[in-house]
Amino acid sequence: MSARDQILNRLRAVHTETLPQPQTAEYYTEMSPKWDTPALRLQHWANTMRKVKGEIVWCHRDTWQDTFAQVVAEKNIAKIVLPLQTEHGQQAAEILHNKRPVTEICAYSQTLEQWKDEFFNTVDAGFTDIKAGIAHTGTLLLWPTPEQPRTMSLVPPIHIALFDTTTLYDDFYAAMHGLDMADGMPTNVVLISGPSKTSDIQLTLAFGAHGPRDLVVLALLPDDISMEDVEGAA
């Protein structure tokens, strides 16, 4: 009998048993962070994102358009790409036409190969909505679609994100189950925790190296929570 056969026979003779499935649900139920109030949870999410230079602008459903136009003006954005096939993209375009007509609006209506030179070299900002948030890590979860591809949030120097804070989950495990990611997830989900950053060179943290240098989150508060509730919840 060859050495190979001897080794294989010994392997086949080894007693095997099925390992028990880990109790992930129980683990995350016990280990997931808890907050006493929704305002404290929102504050933790915002403070965590701010630690890595994410900008949070609190607003409500009836004020976010004016806030959006104000951010565009303050950032001196000359050209912005909007998801014009979506409701939030159309609303953003409407307010810019009325209050910021000097800002050029463009749509992501071509393939990246067709307009990548213009996209990479002339567009100042991209505007997207957000699928959900993760409180524990101060994270936004972006769900790319054909109308709103992920490059809209990754290529322009400024990313303005519209986030409905009622979709904030405690942790990533809760978000996975709440969004039913096992069924119908897109080919790529973008997790955003502040502007693009790297410390590859001499361990010095630099922002904007591989993506947006600025992230501005328009955080839509529920009607029963005010900005004062969140900022003064500590």
Side-chain angles (χ1 to χ4, degrees), residues 167-210:
T167 64
L168 183 66
Y169 291 90
D170 288 343
D171 53 31
F172 184 59
Y173 181 81
M176 287 176 58
H177 286 270
L179 298 173
D180 195 18
M181 288 191 186
D183 183 22
M185 187 177 75
T187 56
N188 185 285
V189 171
V190 182
L191 298 176
I192 304 169
S193 297
S196 167
K197 49 192 172 293
T198 183
S199 57
D200 290 345
I201 302 175
Q202 296 183 341
L203 299 181
T204 300
L205 185 61
F207 290 87
H210 307 300

Side-chain angles (χ1 to χ4, degrees), residues 2-210:
S2 68
R4 175 179 179 276
D5 290 335
Q6 292 179 27
I7 294 172
L8 291 176
N9 285 338
R10 286 199 296 268
L11 290 174
R12 295 187 186 105
V14 173
H15 175 70
T16 60
E17 61 182 30
T18 302
L19 295 175
Q21 292 294 318
Q23 298 297 320
T24 54
E26 293 181 7
Y27 171 82
Y28 280 103
T29 298
E30 295 176 359
M31 299 300 293
S32 178
K34 302 294 189 297
W35 294 274
D36 293 336
T37 66
L40 279 172
R41 186 172 69 155
L42 278 169
Q43 186 188 62
H44 176 87
W45 166 80
N47 289 343
T48 305
M49 178 167 280
R50 283 168 174 162
K51 288 178 181 178
V52 287
K53 296 192 176 181
E55 299 179 43
I56 312 295
V57 183
W58 303 109
C59 48
H60 288 89
R61 292 185 182 278
D62 58 348
T63 63
W64 78 260
Q65 288 174 270
D66 288 332
T67 304
F68 169 74
Q70 182 179 351
V71 169
V72 171
E74 290 175 352
K75 296 288 184 180
N76 197 28
I77 295 172
K79 188 172 184 178
I80 188 169
V81 58
L82 302 178
L84 294 176
Q85 294 177 289
T86 67
E87 182 179 1
H88 60 279
Q90 294 167 6
Q91 292 173 337
E94 179 184 9
I95 196 68
L96 289 184
H97 282 310
N98 293 334
K99 293 197 171 184
R100 182 68 180 177
V102 296
T103 296
E104 180 183 353
I105 296 171
C106 58
Y108 203 120
S109 57
Q110 308 174 67
T111 65
L112 181 60
E113 290 72 19
Q114 290 176 311
W115 79 308
K116 64 180 180 181
D117 289 340
E118 176 186 359
F119 189 29
F120 277 79
N121 297 320
T122 68
V123 173
D124 300 310
F127 174 64
T128 72
D129 72 346
I130 294 298
K131 185 73 170 179
I134 301 172
H136 187 201
T137 54
T139 301
L140 300 174
L141 193 150
L142 195 151
W143 201 269
T145 64
E147 297 77 25
Q148 186 174 267
R150 65 191 181 105
T151 47
M152 289 183 65
S153 67
L154 297 176
V155 172
I158 302 171
H159 176 203
I160 304 174
L162 181 66
F163 172 43
D164 181 352
T165 61
T166 62
T167 64
L168 183 66
Y169 291 90
D170 288 343
D171 53 31
F172 184 59
Y173 181 81
M176 287 176 58
H177 286 270
L179 298 173
D180 195 18
M181 288 191 186
D183 183 22
M185 187 177 75
T187 56
N188 185 285
V189 171
V190 182
L191 298 176
I192 304 169
S193 297
S196 167
K197 49 192 172 293
T198 183
S199 57
D200 290 345
I201 302 175
Q202 296 183 341
L203 299 181
T204 300
L205 185 61
F207 290 87
H210 307 300

